[in-house]
């Protein structure tokens, strides 16, 4: 639908800021911004005279369902630059206005709706940008783009929008205050990076003003240009968001508990403030922050040696936080993990106390961060936080005495991150430094914690040939200091296990007071191609690398190598609209491989992890999505199975998975996935399946149900270790394991009700039922094997009470919750431990009513509920476990929070 003057509304720029361009970026469309003359009333109607003075940008190109041709439904966009804001007017032409999808969701929510988006790269660095999106129902969404393609959905701006539907389609008006973006003011006209995008749900058409190819890596680097930007003075950027909160807590109480009688009330106030330093930097600060409206973490059952990773969701720490990212090898590992700030207190309670009152988290006395980007391409982030010394109170009923005790020392945190761009954003070099200091009490009660923890790193990314090829990597180092107790704890932790009796390249040092280590990675990739992409890498983690005071890592020392190759096709065929296939492998070895670097046996003994896998996916012609994967894991040596003991064989295994999802645009969509795993040498198997059901009976209501079922058997579940009756094949210590049966059923439920774009109700609930049955206990027969000495079940005999316990007819017997073991078969029990069988039933959830009663200002009404019960049963019975869950005592919290945005 070519409009008069549309060809004149844009020009093709073939000699941009990089100089002459080639390949996919040789033709970058250019839009023209016009100065605002008069005023604009944001009502969705493009009827002001000022709009007619702006030259429209058109000529959108389709990205989906087929990439490359002109968009079937064209879009026309005008941009005006005012004294303190940018105005965008968009006309979305549609030959069937009745098909416009206008699902209502909360602000920043995803869904099936037509939308228009306006994207800016004010510094023309081709790496960072801002995106402002408005749906056909006037639901706003905004996010920040960093590293050319990574998006930060936690970034929020305060801006205005309005939409209007008519017989020709729909229109949108946006007003973006200049105070919400970072730019460089200067005399004369500027050129910024820009893009406009549109999604039309009825035809699944996604189109852009400057084409965004699915065959290229990157978003901002594919933006077009916006000429005629005239901003000669920086806007003042000062914002403050005070809050007031009141809440009640109701839950089960124990008789005689002086701290909680079943209910309590609380109130607090706090402030978050933001101040613009120049046009490109922002100082954010918070005093007494509150995170009460944050969604509850999902329930998990962790039987591994490593801690569980939970995503950061607290607003202060996710807003503008991407500048602090420094990712390491492995999923979720990172040099700075903000959830360490304000963590759950780590100190214990006094022995013999009948009741204790402990805080759930360390109080953040204050936190501040400075972030921004210079005109020369230097991104900088500085963050500091201080948590207070936390105290608990213990009550001793016999003495009717209260006693104060420390549960967490005062702690200071600091992070500095810098990144410098080169070659118009194609390459980058960065550095980071993190520091933690604990003010430990002088009585030695917290000497098990480090006093100081530091880390530093440098990273780089080099891209060439129009970003087709890339070489990137990092080097990170860590240093921790503290009392010898703290270093003993670290050396014994699952990330290190320096106490391993068969270790040849590390030693447990009980007198150590510091530890230093490093991690590095080097990776080479082909990132763009019509069909083929891939990469290879090498990496290493040295034995002393430890960052878990302020970072997150589950990595042990290792040598790492891997490769990936991908084939993809985005041209619709007879079955698929698009598809991709990836072959992937990685292999890990401990440094003990270097004991005899030229011997295959040395590398085999040190082979600690590895996989060969193929995965593929695509979209069928009926808009259904399918994905499948198949992998083989060879036999390796586990350093974690014995929890600090000798290595043992981890048998080979295979895994296969499949997922299919129906057309997500429909009122009812269904996703189903299944995953199966088989393990050699009788090490069990695993089966998991889940369904994702989405119901949208109206544009205002969405219900999502995700029931999941899994069952697993394993033959190497660690139980305990003992030095009773020294056993030489495993270096004098006996390591007890179990054959384990595990069944888990859960169902995440999400209900979203949108009354208006500014008033929404969200409900999240996750019931979880799990049984863990330690079927048969056994002992590791020898190091570097998967051989076990299985204990035959006998009958418990206490005898006359003066002699040893006996297990008649076997070498293990149970008395209540205690298992007794006769290691040498002489009829007398040598060792006992508590039986490990258990059932866990939990229900976590919250409901949040949000009302944005004015831009940037919100009222939250929150209900948080938690039910939990654990019993030493072990078998799974759905009806019984459901009854037990609903009979479990409930803990309820009700919160009312009011924030008010002040912009100056």
């Amino acid at each position: 639908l070519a409009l008069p003057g549309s060809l004149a509304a844009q020009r093709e720029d073939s000699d941009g800021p990089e100089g002459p361009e080639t390949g996919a970026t040789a033709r970058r469309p250019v839009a023209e911004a016009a100065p605002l003359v008069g005023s604009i009333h944001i009502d969705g109607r493009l009827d002001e005279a000022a709009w007619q003075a702006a030259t429209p940008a058109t000529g959108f190109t389709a990205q989906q369902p087929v990439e490359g041709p002109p968009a079937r439904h064209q879009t026309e966009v005008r941009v005006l630059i005012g004294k303190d804001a940018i105005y965008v007017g968009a006309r979305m032409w549609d030959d069937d206005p009745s098909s416009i999808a206008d699902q209502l969701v909360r602000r920043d929510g995803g869904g099936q709706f037509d939308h228009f988006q306006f994207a800016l790269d004010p510094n023309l660095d081709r790496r960072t940008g801002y995106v402002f999106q408005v749906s056909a129902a006037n639901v706003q969404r905004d996010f920040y783009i960093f590293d050319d393609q990574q998006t930060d959905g936690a970034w929020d701006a305060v801006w205005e929008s309005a939409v209007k539907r008519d017989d020709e389609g729909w229109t949108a008006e946006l007003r973006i205050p200049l105070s919400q973006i970072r730019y460089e003011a200067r005399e004369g006209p500027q050129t910024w990076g820009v893009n406009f995008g549109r999604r039309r749900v009825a035809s699944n058409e996604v189109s852009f003003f400057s084409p965004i190819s699915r065959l290229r890596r990157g978003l901002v680097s594919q933006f077009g240009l916006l000429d005629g930007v005239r901003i000669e003075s920086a806007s003042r950027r000062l914002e403050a968001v005070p809050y007031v909160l009141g809440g009640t807590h109701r839950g089960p109480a124990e008789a005689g508990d002086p701290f909680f009688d079943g209910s309590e009330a609380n109130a607090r106030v706090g402030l978050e403030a933001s101040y613009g330093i120049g046009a490109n930097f922002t100082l954010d600060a918070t005093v007494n922050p509150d995170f009460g409206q944050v969604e509850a973490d999902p329930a998990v059952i962790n039987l591994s040696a490593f801690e569980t990773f939970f995503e950061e969701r607290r607003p202060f720490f996710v807003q503008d936080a991407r500048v602090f990212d420094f990712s390491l090898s492995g999923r979720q590992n990172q040099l700075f993990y903000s959830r360490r700030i304000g963590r759950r207190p780590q100190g214990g309670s006094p022995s013999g106390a009948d009741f204790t009152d402990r805080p759930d988290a360390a109080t953040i006395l204050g936190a501040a961060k400075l972030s921004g980007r210079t005109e020369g391409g230097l991104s900088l982030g500085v963050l500091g936080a201080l948590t207070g010394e936390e105290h608990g109170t213990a009550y001793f009923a016999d003495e009717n005495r209260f006693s104060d005790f420390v549960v967490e020392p005062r702690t200071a945190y600091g992070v500095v991150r810098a990144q410098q761009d080169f070659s118009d954003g194609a390459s980058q070099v960065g550095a980071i430094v993190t520091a933690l200091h604990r003010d430990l009490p002088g009585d030695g009660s917290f000497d098990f914690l480090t006093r100081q923890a530091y880390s530093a790193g440098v990273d780089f990314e080099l891209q060439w040939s129009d970003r087709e090829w890339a070489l990137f990597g990092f080097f990170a180092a860590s240093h921790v200091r503290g009392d010898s107790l703290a270093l003993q704890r670290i050396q014994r932790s699952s990330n290190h296990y320096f106490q391993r009796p068969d270790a040849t390249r590390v030693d447990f040092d009980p007198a150590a007071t510091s530890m230093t280590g490093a991690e590095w990675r080097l990776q080479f990739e082909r990132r763009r191609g019509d069909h083929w992409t891939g990469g290879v890498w090498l990496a290493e983690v040295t034995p002393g690398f430890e960052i878990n005071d302020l970072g997150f890592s589950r990595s042990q020392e290792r040598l790492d190598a891997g490769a990936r190759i991908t084939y993809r096709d985005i041209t619709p065929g007879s079955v698929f609209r698009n598809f991709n296939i990836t072959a992937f492998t990685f292999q890990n070895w401990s440094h003990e491989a270097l004991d005899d670097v030229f011997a295959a046996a040395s590398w085999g003994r040190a082979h600690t992890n590895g996989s060969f896998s193929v995965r593929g996916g695509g979209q069928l012609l009926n808009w259904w999505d399918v994905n499948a994967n198949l992998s083989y894991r060879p036999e390796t040596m586990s350093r974690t199975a014995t929890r600090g003991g000798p290595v043992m064989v981890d048998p080979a295994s295979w895994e296969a998975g499949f997922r299919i999802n129906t057309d997500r645009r429909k009122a009812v969509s269904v996703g189903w996935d299944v995953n199966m795993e088989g393990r050699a040498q009788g090490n069990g198997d695993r089966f998991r399946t889940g369904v994702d059901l989405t119901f949208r009976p109206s544009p205002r209501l969405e219900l999502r149900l995700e029931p999941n079922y899994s069952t697993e058997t394993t033959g190497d579940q660690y139980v305990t270790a003992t030095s009773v009756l020294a056993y030489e094949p495993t270096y004098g210590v006996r390591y007890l394991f179990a054959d384990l049966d595990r069944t888990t059923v859960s169902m995440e439920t999400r209900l979203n009700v949108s009354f208006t774009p500014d008033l929404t109700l969200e409900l999240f609930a996750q019931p979880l039922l799990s049984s863990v049955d330690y079927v048969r206990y056994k002992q590791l027969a020898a190091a570097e094997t998967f051989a076990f000495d299985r204990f035959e079940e006998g009958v418990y005999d206490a005898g006359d009470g003066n002699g040893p316990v006996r297990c008649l007819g076997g070498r293990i017997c149970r008395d209540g919750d205690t298992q007794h073991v006769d290691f040498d078969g002489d009829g007398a029990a040598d060792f006992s431990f508590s039986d490990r069988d258990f059932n866990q039933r939990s229900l976590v959830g919250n409901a949040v009513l949000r009302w944005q009663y004015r831009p940037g200002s919100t009222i939250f009404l929150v209900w948080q509920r938690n039910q939990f019960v654990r019993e030493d049963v072990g078998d799974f019975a759905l009806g019984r476990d459901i009854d037990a869950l609903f009979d479990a005592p409930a803990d309820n919290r009700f919160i009312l929070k009011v924030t008010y945005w002040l912009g100056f």
Side-chain angles (χ1 to χ4, degrees):
L1 298 175
L3 301 179
S6 63
L7 296 178
Q10 59 193 70
R11 59 181 170 85
E12 302 293 349
D13 182 62
S14 60
D15 194 4
E18 291 183 325
E21 299 181 276
T22 60
T25 60
R27 300 171 66 83
R28 303 178 68 193
V30 178
E32 297 285 346
L36 173 63
V37 178
S39 61
I40 297 291
H41 177 57
I42 304 300
D43 57 6
R45 296 181 174 87
L46 307 179
D47 51 7
E48 289 90 352
W51 289 121
Q52 305 309 312
T55 305
T58 61
F60 279 47
T61 300
Q63 182 204 55
Q64 295 185 48
V66 179
E67 183 173 306
R72 180 173 178 272
H73 295 83
Q74 275 297 326
T75 305
E76 178 182 285
V77 186
R78 291 175 167 85
V79 179
L80 300 172
I81 307 295
K83 181 180 179 181
D84 56 1
I86 300 173
Y87 295 83
V88 181
R91 155 64 70 179
M92 277 60 69
W93 304 92
D94 199 310
D95 54 13
D96 183 12
S98 64
S99 67
I100 296 173
D102 56 358
Q103 180 190 359
L104 272 175
V105 298
R106 77 169 178 88
R107 191 188 194 279
D108 289 323
Q112 299 301 318
F113 45 72
D114 287 27
H115 72 239
F116 165 78
Q117 67 180 32
F118 168 57
L120 273 178
D121 173 15
N123 296 298
L124 203 57
D125 57 38
R126 303 188 67 189
R127 280 194 83 93
T128 61
Y130 307 91
V131 179
F132 303 88
Q133 176 183 294
V134 61
S135 78
N138 198 32
V139 176
Q140 293 182 353
R141 183 183 185 188
D142 46 31
F143 53 90
Y144 179 68
I145 305 175
F146 62 101
D147 289 343
D148 194 14
Q149 68 169 8
Q150 304 297 319
T151 59
D152 179 8
W155 180 80
D156 280 324
V158 179
W159 50 288
E160 297 177 69
S161 65
V163 300
K164 186 71 176 177
R165 293 174 63 166
D166 55 31
D167 293 340
E168 297 179 316
W170 64 288
T171 56
E173 264 184 324
L174 288 67
R175 180 184 182 273
I176 315 296
L178 291 172
S179 61
Q180 302 301 298
I181 63 175
R182 296 168 184 173
Y183 60 93
E184 191 68 29
R186 65 171 71 100
E187 295 184 0
Q190 299 183 47
T191 297
W192 288 3
V194 76
N195 211 349
F196 313 109
R198 177 186 176 184
R199 182 194 182 197
R200 184 176 184 271
V201 170
S203 57
N204 250 344
E205 183 176 71
V206 176
S207 58
F208 292 95
F209 170 68
S210 182
I212 301 293
S213 174
R214 288 176 284 167
L215 298 175
R216 284 177 56 93
R217 182 182 185 273
L219 299 174
V220 184
S221 57
Q222 300 188 65
F223 281 10
L225 302 176
L226 180 65
D227 278 350
V229 179
R230 293 179 178 269
I231 304 176
E232 298 182 355
S233 61
S235 61
R236 185 170 62 176
R237 296 184 290 123
L238 175 60
E239 301 176 4
V241 184
Y243 80 85
V244 58
L245 175 148
T248 63
H249 174 206
R250 297 182 180 274
E254 293 186 51
D257 187 346
F259 303 114
F260 185 65
D261 62 2
S263 65
E264 63 181 353
N266 59 78
R268 62 192 300 176
V269 296
L271 174 72
E272 292 187 12
S274 176
Y275 175 66
I277 301 176
N280 286 325
F281 282 84
T282 300
L283 176 64
D284 297 294
T286 182
V287 178
N288 198 26
D290 172 72
F291 311 119
Q293 74 275 18
V294 176
E295 183 175 295
D297 289 322
V300 295
I301 299 175
N302 187 353
L303 299 179
S304 74
F306 300 93
E307 70 172 310
T308 301
F309 178 88
F310 291 109
E311 292 183 355
E312 178 64 270
R313 302 183 183 186
R314 299 173 296 178
F316 175 80
F317 290 105
V318 296
Q319 184 81 356
D320 287 338
R322 298 285 69 84
V323 69
F324 299 105
D325 285 353
F326 194 102
S327 297
L328 305 172
S329 297
R331 289 185 58 192
Q332 302 160 337
N333 295 342
Q334 49 198 264
L335 216 55
F336 171 56
Y337 179 44
S338 59
R339 285 192 67 141
R340 302 297 188 198
I341 302 174
R343 67 184 303 163
R344 181 179 293 275
Q346 302 170 82
S349 300
S351 176
D354 295 284
F355 298 97
T356 58
D357 181 30
R358 296 168 53 95
D360 294 329
T363 301
I364 301 175
L365 301 178
K369 59 185 175 185
L370 174 70
S371 60
R373 183 182 182 87
T374 69
E375 187 178 6
L378 175 65
S379 297
L380 182 66
V382 181
L383 183 146
L386 180 67
T387 58
E389 182 177 85
E390 292 294 334
H391 292 256
T393 305
Y395 176 67
F396 300 85
D398 291 345
E399 308 170 48
N400 193 26
R401 175 174 63 90
F402 291 88
S403 176
D404 185 75
F405 62 97
V406 178
V407 295
E408 184 75 11
R410 181 187 296 264
T411 308
Y413 307 82
V415 185
V416 179
R417 177 76 156 118
Q419 292 176 292
Q420 176 64 58
D421 293 349
F422 300 95
S423 303
D424 292 300
S427 301
Q428 189 177 69
V429 175
I432 188 174
V433 176
T434 76
L436 172 145
H437 177 81
R438 293 187 176 99
D439 187 11
L440 301 182
D443 61 3
S445 58
F446 278 83
D447 283 352
F448 65 91
L449 295 179
T450 56
R451 185 176 298 274
Q452 296 169 315
Y454 304 97
S455 70
V458 293
D459 56 352
F460 71 92
E461 180 183 45
L462 305 177
Q463 297 184 97
W464 63 92
S465 295
D466 193 21
R467 311 194 187 210
E468 179 178 356
W469 301 93
L471 178 68
F472 67 94
F474 67 82
F475 177 85
S478 68
H479 180 75
V480 295
R481 300 175 186 170
D483 186 85
S484 59
L485 288 176
L487 271 296
Q488 289 176 29
R489 179 181 62 86
I490 291 174
Q491 291 178 83
R492 292 181 181 276
S493 69
S494 57
N495 278 33
H496 303 288
Y497 288 146
F498 282 8
Q499 73 274 25
R500 273 179 41 225
D502 55 352
T504 62
R505 303 186 73 87
V506 294
D507 293 303
F508 180 78
D509 183 0
T513 57
S514 67
M515 190 166 74
T516 301
E519 178 176 348
W520 62 266
R521 183 181 184 92
L522 187 65
Q523 187 157 334
F524 174 70
E525 288 185 342
R526 187 191 188 201
R527 292 179 167 176
R528 178 171 62 83
D530 290 344
H531 295 293
W532 295 99
T533 60
V536 294
W537 65 87
L538 295 172
E540 179 186 16
V541 181
T542 70
F545 189 66
E546 173 57 46
I547 62 168
N548 283 308
D549 285 291
L550 191 49
F552 184 93
S553 176
R554 289 182 289 211
S555 293
Q556 294 183 302
E557 59 88 8
R558 69 170 187 263
L559 303 170
D560 181 13
R564 172 189 61 83
I565 186 169
T566 297
Y567 179 86
R568 59 188 176 187
D569 192 339
I570 65 171
T571 303
S574 58
V575 178
F576 289 96
R577 291 187 179 276
N578 57 76
F579 70 90
N580 65 83
I581 300 174
T582 296
F584 173 87
T585 185
F586 76 92
Q587 305 298 325
N588 293 166
W589 298 268
S590 73
H591 285 80
E592 289 157 349
L594 306 179
D595 290 349
D596 189 352
V597 69
F598 297 109
S602 179
W603 286 89
R605 181 180 180 276
H607 192 195
T608 58
N609 202 1
S611 178
F612 301 91
S613 64
V614 178
R615 59 179 181 263
Q619 188 174 74
L620 302 176
L621 294 179
N622 63 354
W623 307 104
W624 288 25
D625 296 310
V626 294
N627 293 275
N629 66 276
L630 180 65
S631 65
Y632 171 74
R633 186 176 178 275
E635 179 178 291
T636 56
M637 291 291 182
S638 173
R639 294 169 291 172
T640 61
T642 58
R643 305 299 194 267
V647 298
M648 62 178 282
V649 166
D650 189 357
S653 63
W654 61 267
E655 183 177 357
F658 176 78
R659 177 175 177 83
I660 188 168
N661 206 104
T662 64
D663 189 346
R664 291 179 173 86
R665 299 173 300 164
K666 303 298 185 180
V668 178
S669 65
V670 181
W672 173 67
D673 66 273
V674 61
N675 186 275
M676 295 173 289
E677 181 181 358
R679 304 168 185 143
Q681 300 189 45
N683 195 27
D685 51 43
R686 180 175 61 89
F687 173 81
R688 191 195 70 83
T689 187
V691 179
D692 182 348
L693 301 171
T694 302
F695 303 92
R696 285 188 298 274
S698 78
R700 299 177 182 273
L701 178 65
E702 180 177 273
L703 174 64
R704 185 169 182 176
L705 304 175
E706 298 182 41
N708 286 276
Y709 169 79
S710 67
T711 181
E712 178 181 14
T713 62
T714 183
D716 60 353
Q717 179 58 51
Y718 177 80
V719 177
T720 189
T722 178
S723 57
V724 170
L725 297 182
Y727 185 70
E728 292 308 316
T730 51
Y731 298 87
V733 178
R734 297 175 184 268
Y735 297 92
L736 272 61
F737 290 81
D739 295 325
L740 180 144
D741 284 353
R742 180 176 179 178
T743 302
T744 301
V745 174
S746 68
M747 186 170 72
E748 287 193 5
T749 302
R750 297 178 185 272
L751 174 65
N752 300 323
V753 183
S754 300
F755 305 101
T756 71
D758 299 321
L759 179 62
T760 60
L761 172 66
E762 289 183 299
L763 171 69
F764 166 79
Q766 184 211 32
L768 181 144
L769 307 173
S770 184
S771 67
V772 179
D773 184 8
Y774 286 69
V775 179
R776 188 174 185 179
Y777 294 99
K778 54 191 179 181
Q779 176 186 316
L780 182 65
E784 299 186 32
T785 72
F786 197 72
F788 296 95
D789 177 15
R790 300 175 184 274
F791 303 135
E792 303 86 3
E793 188 74 28
V795 178
Y796 171 79
D797 179 19
D800 59 6
N802 296 320
V805 168
R806 294 184 173 275
C807 295
L808 304 180
R811 289 191 297 154
I812 190 169
C813 53
R814 179 172 179 171
D815 174 29
D817 293 332
T818 302
Q819 294 279 1
H820 301 271
V821 186
D822 174 11
F823 288 127
D824 55 7
D826 64 355
D830 305 302
F831 179 68
S832 62
F833 60 91
S834 61
D835 188 74
R836 298 297 198 262
D837 292 352
F838 71 91
N839 282 51
Q840 178 171 313
R841 302 103 173 193
S842 69
L843 173 63
V844 295
N846 64 347
V848 181
L849 181 68
R850 288 180 176 86
W851 177 30
Q852 185 170 303
Y853 60 95
R854 63 186 300 269
S857 304
T858 308
I859 295 176
F860 298 92
L861 180 60
V862 183
W863 172 33
Q864 297 177 339
R865 183 178 179 89
N866 187 9
Q867 289 178 263
F868 177 87
V869 63
R870 176 170 170 149
E871 295 180 352
D872 299 333
V873 180
D875 65 312
F876 186 84
L878 183 62
R880 179 202 64 197
D881 291 342
I882 291 176
D883 290 341
L885 172 60
F886 286 104
D887 289 340
D891 188 272
N892 292 284
R893 297 176 186 269
F894 298 90
I895 302 168
L896 176 64
K897 179 179 177 181
V898 180
T899 68
Y900 190 85
W901 181 81
L902 299 169
F904 303 96

